[in-house]
Amino acid sequence: MKPRWTLRRRLTLLYAGPFLVSGTVLLLVPLLGASRSAPAGEGQTPADLPEVEVHSNVVPLAVFSVIAMTIVAILLGWVVAGRFLRPLRLIVDTAGDISATNLHRRLGPTGRSDELAELARTLDDLFERLEASFAAQRRFVANASHELRTPLTAQRALLQVALADRSASPEELRAAAREVVHLGDSQARLIDSLLTLAISEQGIERTEPFDLAEVTQEVLDVRQIDGLDDRLYFEITLEEAPATGDSDLVESLVANLVDNAVKHNVDGGSLLIATGVVGGRSTLTVENTGPVVGPDDLDRLFQPFQRLGPQRVRTGEDGYGLGLAIVHAIAGAHDADLTAAPREGGGLRVTVTFK
C-alpha cells in the first residue's frame, strides 16, 4: 500500500509542479513592476502615496491567488494521478490475489494499448509458465512417490508370504530373499537417478577441462561395448572433443544416452556413437534404431517419468523414464544445445553440442 500512495504523491507533484511555477511567475511579474514604478530619492512627493497603497493591496491578493492556484493544481494533479494509476492498481491487486493454488487466473486484456497493457501480457505469460512449472512439479512428486512405493509394497508382500508359510522350504525362502534383494537394487537405482537429476538441475559447482571422447570411451569400457555384439551393430567413432564442465555429470549424460539407445532398440538393430568438433564446438551424437517415435513425443521423452510404452524396451527390464530427463538437465547445466530427432524407419538421434 505504501509504495502505491508514494507514487501517487510523486505523480501529483509532477502534474501540479509546472502549473505552480508558471502561476507564481505570472503573479510575481506585476509585483515587481509595481515595486519598480515607485519613485525613490529626494524627489518623492505625497502624490506618490496612492501608488504605494496600490502595491500594498496587490500583495495580499497575489498571495491568495498563489494559495488558491496551489490547492487547485494539487487537487487536479491528485485526480489525474489517480486515473492514471487505476489500471495499475487493478493489475497489482489481481496479481497479489494469484498464488500457487490459483495460477489458472489471468489478468486478461485491459482494453488499452500502452505500457500497462504490455505489463499485463507479460505477467500473464509469467503466470502461465509458473502454472506449468507447478503442475510439472506436482506430477514429478506424484510419480516419484509411486515409483518409490512400488518396490516397497512388493518387498513387504514377499516377506509377509514367506513368514506366513510355515512349510516353506529353504530354497523357497532363498528365492524370496533374492527377489527382495532385486527389488532393493531396483529401488536403489531409482534413488540414484533421482539424486543425479536433482544435482544436475542445481547447476555446475565445479568446472574442469575434459575430452568428450575419453569420457565416452570410459562409459563404453564399463559397459564392455567394443563394437561387437550378437544382437546390435555398434558404429563407434570417437574423435578428440575438448570441453569444459563437470566431467562426472557429463559421464552420467553419456551413460544415460547409451543405456537408453541400447534399451530402446531392436534385435539386429544398430547404434551409432560419435564425438568430434563441428563448427568449433565439441559434439556428442548417439543414434539408434528402434520403434517409430512421433515428432509430438520428443518433448515428452525428456520429461521425468515419461515413457512411450513398454514395447520400446528391448531388454527385459523396463526403466523409470528418467534417463533422458537426466540428459536434458545435465545439458542445461552446461549450457549445451540438446537436439533430438526421430530416425526414418524408427529410432532416435540425439546430439549434444557443448559451447
Side-chain angles (χ1 to χ4, degrees), residues 294-313:
D296 297 336
D297 294 325
L298 287 177
D299 291 338
R300 188 164 65 87
L301 280 178
F302 289 91
Q303 300 300 318
F305 300 106
Q306 296 297 315
R307 293 171 288 232
L308 294 184
Q311 70 275 7
R312 293 192 66 242
V313 180

Side-chain angles (χ1 to χ4, degrees), residues 2-15:
K2 184 177 179 180
R4 178 192 304 170
W5 297 115
T6 300
L7 179 60
R8 188 170 185 176
R9 286 199 298 267
R10 292 176 179 177
L11 289 177
T12 300
L13 294 177
L14 180 64
Y15 282 115

Side-chain angles (χ1 to χ4, degrees), residues 9 28 66 135 148 163 222 227 255 258 296-298 307 341:
R9 286 199 298 267
L28 289 177
V66 170
L148 289 170
L163 291 173
V222 171
V258 173
D296 297 336
D297 294 325
L298 287 177
R307 293 171 288 232

Side-chain angles (χ1 to χ4, degrees), residues 49-73:
L49 294 177
E51 189 171 343
V52 176
E53 183 179 356
V54 171
H55 179 273
S56 62
N57 291 333
V58 170
V59 172
L61 181 61
V63 173
F64 175 78
S65 300
V66 170
I67 295 175
M69 182 174 293
T70 300
I71 296 174
V72 172

Side-chain angles (χ1 to χ4, degrees), residues 9-246:
R9 286 199 298 267
R10 292 176 179 177
L11 289 177
T12 300
L13 294 177
L14 180 64
Y15 282 115
F19 293 100
L20 294 177
V21 173
S22 59
T24 302
V25 171
L26 292 176
L27 290 173
L28 289 177
V29 169
L31 295 179
L32 295 176
S35 61
R36 289 194 185 98
S37 62
E42 298 178 355
Q44 187 175 11
T45 63
D48 297 323
L49 294 177
E51 189 171 343
V52 176
E53 183 179 356
V54 171
H55 179 273
S56 62
N57 291 333
V58 170
V59 172
L61 181 61
V63 173
F64 175 78
S65 300
V66 170
I67 295 175
M69 182 174 293
T70 300
I71 296 174
V72 172
I74 292 176
L75 291 177
L76 181 62
W78 185 263
V79 173
V80 173
R83 291 179 60 88
F84 175 79
L85 291 177
R86 187 177 299 117
L88 180 61
R89 186 179 303 118
L90 178 62
I91 292 175
V92 171
D93 292 339
T94 305
D97 293 337
I98 296 176
S99 63
T101 58
N102 60 349
L103 283 173
H104 60 278
R105 289 188 59 187
R106 298 291 183 269
L107 296 172
T110 61
R112 306 166 63 98
S113 59
D114 54 7
E115 290 79 0
L116 293 179
E118 184 178 355
L119 173 62
R121 288 192 298 269
T122 302
L123 288 177
D124 281 342
D125 293 339
L126 174 62
F127 294 146
E128 184 175 358
R129 292 193 297 271
L130 287 175
E131 182 181 16
S133 177
F134 276 101
Q137 184 183 39
R138 286 191 290 267
R139 287 195 302 269
F140 178 84
V141 172
N143 290 328
S145 300
H146 173 74
E147 296 289 353
L148 289 170
R149 188 185 302 113
T150 299
L152 289 175
T153 304
Q155 287 175 341
R156 183 180 181 86
L158 284 170
L159 293 175
Q160 286 177 337
V161 170
L163 291 173
D165 188 2
R166 296 184 178 182
S167 62
S169 64
E171 182 58 33
E172 290 175 340
L173 293 177
R174 282 194 293 269
R178 284 193 295 268
E179 187 65 23
V180 170
V181 172
H182 174 73
L183 291 172
D185 293 339
S186 177
Q187 190 177 26
R189 288 194 298 270
L190 174 58
I191 294 175
D192 289 341
S193 298
L194 291 173
L195 288 175
T196 302
L197 181 61
I199 293 173
S200 303
E201 291 180 341
Q202 290 178 356
I204 303 175
E205 294 184 357
R206 61 183 181 87
T207 59
E208 59 184 1
F210 62 88
D211 189 351
L212 193 55
E214 294 181 358
V215 174
T216 304
Q217 186 62 60
E218 292 177 1
V219 172
L220 299 179
D221 291 341
V222 171
R223 284 153 179 76
Q224 297 181 350
I225 296 176
D226 57 3
L228 299 176
D229 193 288
D230 296 336
R231 298 162 300 177
L232 295 176
Y233 169 72
F234 288 88
E235 182 179 348
I236 302 175
T237 305
L238 302 181
E239 297 180 356
E240 184 179 356
T244 302
D246 190 325

